[in-house]
Amino acid sequence: MSGGLRVWQASGGAGGREVVVLEGPRFGWDMEKERETLQAWKERVGQELDRVMAFWMDHSHDQEHGGFFTCLGRDGRVYDDLKYVWLQGRQVWMYCHLYRKFERFRRPELLDSAKAGGEFLLRSARVAPPGKKCAFVLTRDGRPVKVQRTIFSECFYTMAMNELWRVTGEAHYQIEAVEMMDQIVHWVREDPSGLGRPQLPGAPASEPMAVPMMLLNLVEQLGESDEELAGNYAELGDWCAQRILQHVQRDGQAVLENVSEDGEELPGCLGRHQNPGHALEAGWFLLRHAIRKGDPELRAHVVDKFLLLPFRSGWDPDHGGLFYFQDADGLCPTQLEWAMKLWWPHCEAMIAFLMGYSDSGDPALLQLFYQVAEYTFRQFRDPEYGEWFGYLNREGKVVLTIKGGPFKGCFHVPRCLAMCEEMLGALLSRLPPVRAPRAGSPPAAPAPRGTE
């Protein structure tokens, strides 16, 4: 860990939390260079966030029915008007979050579009009201096309409603969020039959990591600055964290995407399946949970097992970038896209390493942030039309030129950029002030060439 000076800072959780002040033997020698690099990246991600949001605001709004078009070509043209409920919820959440957190996004048109999207979800997302099950796909005017037997449309519906309540103060949004949250918890912990997925006799009883991950994210979302709800969901948050930690298998040497319900490795391809980007996303979810709880042992464990371990195995040594899928035994994965480089794992890695560095001060984590960020900006960013490409081949060449579709919308890229801008700003604020040279002191000698 860092040799930086640690101080205690009050936080919303119990007691205080340890914060690293970036000075001392490992930092002081190159403080100005570090400040310049952090400042440059803060400006870079902030400018990119503005470009990305301009793309979605210019091209995705459905002025007739509300909600958003997400099937957008490279230049923003709509190639399909189907609406995917999880992407509708994500975009409502993203607009509201930016409106709430960033002064420059506190614009009426952003909030109006978010409210129109929220009202579209209220009218159309649920397949058979008053039942809570949401569609996966809707027609442009809100008629259900397809249902998935999972919880993810409902999770992003919940996030959207809670964030709408935070920016509007309108209670009906929060009522929707809490009621849907209760239904999701019931499906996950008590009775999944309402999802419509039969338990077939030959299918192993497995738990994908995505389920406790999403629940933990909802616990953090609904509990933010709400002591009553945070208390109500405290036990659930701890349960989610423990379920995620069960995915560390093989004596701590692998994070597996699927395990049995009692936390054991499953046989076959299902059990060996790994998703490095998902492990990294789970890492920053867990790290945020551990920071809030003031648990230094969990924080260190998360960095080791959910940040460093999946990065070491998942980073392509030949071409750079994170493999999409891997097999824990080194066998060839069966998924056709396993060696592709997708946008969202790299977004999650940027968040994870910057959050890890912000918490620990370990410069190795900052260097990994720079490594991932440089690759990501170089390979995914579209300088001509804005936004990012989502799908590259192993060598980093664009395979699909679309900017949005059934799985890519206004979420992972702007969430990453917004969180990184905030964390970089916080890091810069923690650096000690620039010291003016003493009168009469000679200027510092330039470093010899090649020692930078």
Side-chain angles (χ1 to χ4, degrees):
M1 289 297 180
S2 154
L5 172 67
R6 285 173 167 77
V7 298
W8 284 94
Q9 173 177 293
S11 70
R17 82 174 180 88
E18 200 177 30
V19 173
V20 178
V21 177
L22 304 180
E23 65 177 332
R26 288 178 74 170
F27 293 96
W29 66 277
D30 213 3
M31 184 65 70
E32 277 313 301
K33 183 178 180 181
E34 196 60 64
R35 188 192 307 274
E36 290 173 7
T37 306
L38 291 170
Q39 183 63 42
W41 268 107
K42 180 177 181 293
E43 293 173 4
R44 191 175 183 184
V45 299
Q47 291 166 4
E48 189 63 16
L49 176 60
D50 292 347
R51 292 182 73 250
V52 166
M53 290 307 300
F55 180 92
W56 291 101
M57 293 180 70
D58 288 345
H59 301 299
S60 71
H61 297 176
D62 183 349
Q63 304 293 351
E64 183 177 351
H65 296 286
F68 308 98
F69 301 115
T70 60
C71 294
L72 303 180
R74 183 184 179 188
D75 60 359
R77 280 182 286 186
V78 178
Y79 65 83
D80 197 327
D81 64 7
L82 289 175
K83 292 177 178 174
Y84 296 82
V85 169
W86 64 340
L87 299 185
Q88 301 296 309
R90 286 171 168 179
Q91 192 156 348
V92 170
W93 179 88
M94 194 72 248
Y95 277 26
C96 293
H97 184 77
L98 291 173
Y99 184 90
R100 182 164 66 93
K101 295 281 190 177
F102 291 81
E103 183 66 36
R104 69 182 187 274
F105 287 110
R106 204 156 293 156
R107 307 201 297 265
E109 61 270 25
L110 199 68
L111 182 58
D112 290 345
S113 297
K115 290 180 69 174
E119 293 299 322
F120 176 81
L121 285 171
L122 285 172
R123 289 193 308 272
S124 305
R126 289 176 293 168
V127 176
K132 297 295 187 184
K133 191 73 193 84
C134 292
F136 179 63
V137 187
L138 302 168
T139 61
R140 179 183 177 185
D141 59 1
R143 289 168 291 133
V145 174
K146 181 180 178 181
V147 174
Q148 278 192 336
R149 298 167 179 177
T150 64
I151 62 170
F152 302 116
S153 291
E154 293 79 9
C155 287
F156 290 105
Y157 179 98
T158 303
M159 288 176 61
M161 294 300 151
N162 178 256
E163 199 68 27
L164 269 169
W165 167 70
R166 292 179 184 277
V167 296
T168 66
E170 296 178 24
H172 70 286
Y173 293 128
Q174 180 69 340
I175 292 169
E176 280 288 325
V178 173
E179 288 183 354
M180 186 64 82
M181 178 67 166
D182 292 344
Q183 178 65 78
I184 294 167
V185 173
H186 176 78
W187 283 331
V188 171
R189 299 188 70 177
E190 297 178 34
D191 181 10
S193 62
L195 295 172
R197 185 174 61 247
Q199 182 61 49
L200 301 175
S206 64
E207 179 179 83
M209 189 162 60
V211 171
M213 277 179 62
M214 275 306 308
L215 270 183
L216 182 60
N217 191 46
L218 289 179
V219 167
E220 297 291 334
Q221 171 73 36
L222 271 66
E224 181 190 347
S225 303
D226 189 325
E227 291 185 10
E228 181 179 354
L229 277 183
N232 292 345
Y233 295 133
E235 182 274 333
L236 176 62
D238 291 339
W239 180 86
C240 292
Q242 289 305 312
R243 303 294 285 197
I244 298 169
L245 292 168
Q246 288 184 156
H247 288 260
V248 180
Q249 295 285 322
R250 302 190 177 195
D251 296 323
Q253 297 308 303
V255 179
L256 303 179
E257 189 70 12
N258 304 290
V259 294
S260 70
E261 289 187 339
D262 57 356
E264 300 296 329
E265 182 172 343
L266 295 164
C269 295
L270 180 69
R272 298 193 306 270
H273 180 54
Q274 293 182 288
N275 183 332
H278 223 198
L280 285 156
E281 184 179 21
W284 72 258
F285 285 9
L286 283 170
L287 188 57
R288 184 174 58 178
H289 176 74
I291 291 169
R292 183 176 54 79
K293 289 181 67 68
D295 188 338
E297 290 185 9
L298 179 56
R299 284 148 64 181
H301 180 74
V302 167
V303 168
D304 186 34
K305 302 304 181 186
F306 285 87
L307 273 61
L308 298 177
L309 182 62
F311 183 81
R312 283 196 295 265
S313 68
W315 188 259
D316 185 344
D318 298 320
H319 302 286
L322 289 162
F323 290 116
Y324 195 36
F325 296 132
Q326 292 185 291
D327 182 286
D329 285 345
L331 303 175
C332 180
T334 58
Q335 296 88 354
L336 299 180
E337 69 273 30
W338 73 269
M340 289 179 67
K341 312 296 168 60
L342 271 67
W343 83 105
W344 70 263
H346 297 80
C347 293
E348 304 311 319
M350 286 174 61
I351 296 169
F353 288 126
L354 195 56
M355 187 180 294
Y357 174 68
S358 298
D359 179 57
S360 70
D362 185 347
L365 298 175
L366 182 61
Q367 292 308 310
L368 289 174
F369 164 76
Y370 290 148
Q371 178 180 336
V372 175
E374 287 288 2
Y375 174 89
T376 303
F377 270 65
R378 182 175 66 249
Q379 301 299 134
F380 290 98
R381 181 177 179 272
D382 183 358
E384 185 173 354
Y385 289 103
E387 239 287 342
W388 292 6
F389 299 111
Y391 304 88
L392 314 178
N393 66 13
R394 181 176 178 182
E395 291 73 28
K397 304 297 183 183
V398 175
V399 175
L400 302 179
T401 60
I402 59 172
K403 296 295 175 55
F407 303 99
K408 184 177 186 294
C410 180
F411 184 62
H412 287 98
V413 176
R415 180 177 71 169
C416 166
L417 296 170
M419 290 183 68
C420 288
E421 182 179 345
E422 286 186 303
M423 287 188 283
L424 289 163
L427 285 167
L428 285 162
S429 73
R430 281 156 46 184
L431 290 171
V434 179
R435 294 183 178 89
R438 287 190 298 247
S441 61
R449 194 169 195 66
T451 64
E452 292 94 329

